[in-house]
Amino acid sequence: MRMEGLSFDNIPPLHIPFRFFNTAPWLGVLAAVFLMLGGDTGLSSQWTPTLLAVTHLFTLGFMVMVMFGALFQLLPVISGEPIPKASLVATLVHLPLSFGILFLVCGFLEQSYQLFYMAIPLLITAFSIFLFALGSLLIHRVSGGASIYTVRLAALSLLITIVFGLLRASAYLGYGEAVDFSNTTYIHLAWGLFGWVMLLVIGVSYQVIPMFHVTPPYPEKWAKVLPTLIFTFLVLLTFVSNETLQIALTLMLILLVLTYAIYSLWLLTKRKRKIRDLTVYFWRLALLNIILVSLLVLVKLALWQSGEYVAFSLKLNMVIGLLAIYGFACSVIMGMLQKIVPFLAFLHLQRQCMTNFEQLKTLPNMREIISEAQSSWQFCFHLIALVMLVVSVFALKSTPITALAVALDFIWLGVVIGRASRLYRLTSARIAL
């Protein structure tokens, strides 16, 4: 494991990231419940109330929840500087984010958009506090190189995603007559998936792939050029209205994403630790999915002007969305949790033993905190759920089975993280005695 350039002097208490990690899987379970309640019609269109609720539970409830928790821990390690008042900030972010998500998805599910009046202030509060705390750290010249640079762009992308999300919400509430709803929707998706999620995954991967899997590092100059180009093309795509230019910019984005994915897959083949590692499986699954998403977007562009394939094109939109969200983003997050949770638990327990070195030999190792068998089952459950989601787009009758598969995927993750948290608390209490 490579630790060069990392600082563990300013890491926050473990309860800060773990509260986010322990919440996220159960919001994924709630998405599965909503999918089950939606029945055969839940995946019939990308605009069904069920799918809108499920999508936001995946993106806000699971992805953003884990990403926020991880950033509280990773940024001080990469930059060497703590997030100011991390414990207070985490509380002020976690609670309004959790309740805001619940109000938002219930508003979508019941088509009771008045609930957005409660959801929007809560979500704005959570995002504003988090971005202000994050910005107060990232605005300064800190170490971390390409990783911190890319996280800065990801944070800006999140801010832009929120702005377009508010425009969409205002349209649901009847205030968006002057806004092109469909265009705002796709720009919101583009900034959320290609900006916030993609750039954050890229920035984090610059550190964690070489660190955990002992691969060669990403090329330093290329590591900054890639996210800069992605961000620039997203800005241009936001303001350009000419269809030809939109297609050209989309093609450039696809090329950049493919370059990152293929290079990352190549790096993983060069890892020095050749032992079986389930996190590598998750990374490979995620990268293969984003490659498939890119190729399907090319197919989508080829059908852009064709009126003969309208129904197929709509199905293709849903498949692209599911592969990007569940196949790429959720795969990366689930894989990283298999590493981050035991690593952080062991690191904090190890630091707790600095006043009593005899306790070091009694600590559970990382494979005891989350075992290889647990990670293997997680990968199997996740792969089955992903395949079933894609199948259900074309075979709507299978949606209830798909919902069960998704529920099992997130329940297993929730139980595994919960057990790891409990083992940490028991061991910490024993050391304290």
Side-chain angles (χ1 to χ4, degrees), residues 86-197:
S87 293
L88 176 61
V89 170
T91 302
L92 295 177
V93 170
H94 180 258
L95 288 175
L97 178 62
S98 301
F99 285 106
I101 291 167
L102 293 176
F103 282 123
L104 182 73
V105 298
C106 287
F108 278 123
L109 190 68
E110 299 297 324
Q111 294 182 289
S112 177
Y113 302 126
Q114 299 304 310
L115 290 173
F116 288 3
Y117 284 115
M118 289 182 280
I120 290 172
L122 289 168
L123 292 174
I124 288 176
T125 299
F127 284 121
S128 298
I129 293 172
F130 181 79
L131 286 173
F132 181 80
L134 200 66
S136 66
L137 172 62
L138 295 178
I139 201 171
H140 298 110
R141 183 181 291 275
V142 294
S143 61
S147 286
I148 289 295
Y149 175 78
T150 309
V151 171
R152 284 192 181 104
L153 295 180
L156 282 173
S157 299
L158 175 60
L159 181 60
I160 296 169
T161 304
I162 293 166
V163 170
F164 281 100
L166 290 173
L167 288 175
R168 293 183 66 206
S170 68
Y172 278 109
L173 292 170
Y175 302 117
E177 291 84 357
V179 177
D180 183 343
F181 183 80
S182 61
N183 190 49
T184 304
T185 298
Y186 287 114
I187 293 173
H188 173 67
L189 287 170
W191 277 105
L193 293 176
F194 284 97
W196 162 241
V197 174

Side-chain angles (χ1 to χ4, degrees), residues 207-218:
Q207 287 290 338
V208 299
I209 288 182
M211 173 185 170
F212 284 125
H213 308 299
V214 197
T215 70
Y218 287 84

Side-chain angles (χ1 to χ4, degrees), residues 353-369:
C353 292
M354 289 300 99
T355 56
N356 187 357
F357 291 104
E358 287 297 316
Q359 293 291 331
L360 280 171
K361 58 187 177 184
T362 70
L363 296 182
N365 62 49
M366 288 174 58
R367 287 181 176 267
E368 290 175 302
I369 297 171

Side-chain angles (χ1 to χ4, degrees), residues 66-83:
V66 174
M67 289 171 168
F68 277 14
L71 286 173
F72 272 107
Q73 187 75 45
L74 288 175
L75 279 180
V77 172
I78 297 172
S79 68
E81 299 290 335
I83 292 179

Side-chain angles (χ1 to χ4, degrees), residues 41 63 93 142 165 169 305 313 365 368 371 419:
T41 62
M63 290 159 50
V93 170
V142 294
Q305 301 294 343
S313 182
N365 62 49
E368 290 175 302
S371 69
R419 290 181 65 180

Side-chain angles (χ1 to χ4, degrees), residues 409-431:
D409 190 20
F410 284 110
I411 288 171
W412 185 264
L413 181 66
V415 170
V416 167
I417 295 176
R419 290 181 65 180
S421 302
R422 181 174 180 272
L423 178 59
Y424 167 78
R425 288 194 301 270
L426 292 175
T427 307
S428 177
R430 175 173 55 80
I431 294 171

Side-chain angles (χ1 to χ4, degrees), residues 141-306:
R141 183 181 291 275
V142 294
S143 61
S147 286
I148 289 295
Y149 175 78
T150 309
V151 171
R152 284 192 181 104
L153 295 180
L156 282 173
S157 299
L158 175 60
L159 181 60
I160 296 169
T161 304
I162 293 166
V163 170
F164 281 100
L166 290 173
L167 288 175
R168 293 183 66 206
S170 68
Y172 278 109
L173 292 170
Y175 302 117
E177 291 84 357
V179 177
D180 183 343
F181 183 80
S182 61
N183 190 49
T184 304
T185 298
Y186 287 114
I187 293 173
H188 173 67
L189 287 170
W191 277 105
L193 293 176
F194 284 97
W196 162 241
V197 174
M198 192 75 216
L199 288 176
L200 186 59
V201 169
I202 290 172
V204 171
S205 69
Y206 288 164
Q207 287 290 338
V208 299
I209 288 182
M211 173 185 170
F212 284 125
H213 308 299
V214 197
T215 70
Y218 287 84
E220 188 174 345
K221 290 183 180 179
W222 178 83
K224 282 192 175 182
V225 170
L226 178 74
T228 302
L229 289 176
I230 290 176
F231 187 87
T232 302
F233 289 143
L234 281 171
V235 171
L236 293 174
L237 198 58
T238 303
F239 295 103
V240 166
S241 57
N242 181 274
E243 277 193 10
T244 303
L245 286 176
Q246 288 178 341
I247 293 173
L249 290 168
T250 304
L251 288 173
M252 292 303 298
L253 277 172
I254 291 170
L255 180 62
L256 292 170
V257 170
L258 282 172
T259 302
Y260 164 75
I262 293 169
Y263 190 84
S264 298
L265 282 171
W266 178 81
L267 273 187
L268 289 170
T269 66
K270 299 297 180 182
R271 63 194 184 101
K272 294 181 181 179
R273 299 181 73 231
K274 296 297 184 181
I275 60 172
R276 185 170 182 261
D277 189 334
L278 268 298
T279 305
V280 174
Y281 287 31
F282 278 101
W283 268 111
R284 286 173 178 159
L285 176 64
L287 294 168
L288 289 172
N289 269 286
I290 203 63
I291 290 172
L292 182 56
V293 165
S294 300
L295 297 177
L296 289 177
V297 171
L298 292 178
V299 174
K300 171 72 178 174
L301 292 176
L303 300 176
W304 188 303
Q305 301 294 343
S306 176

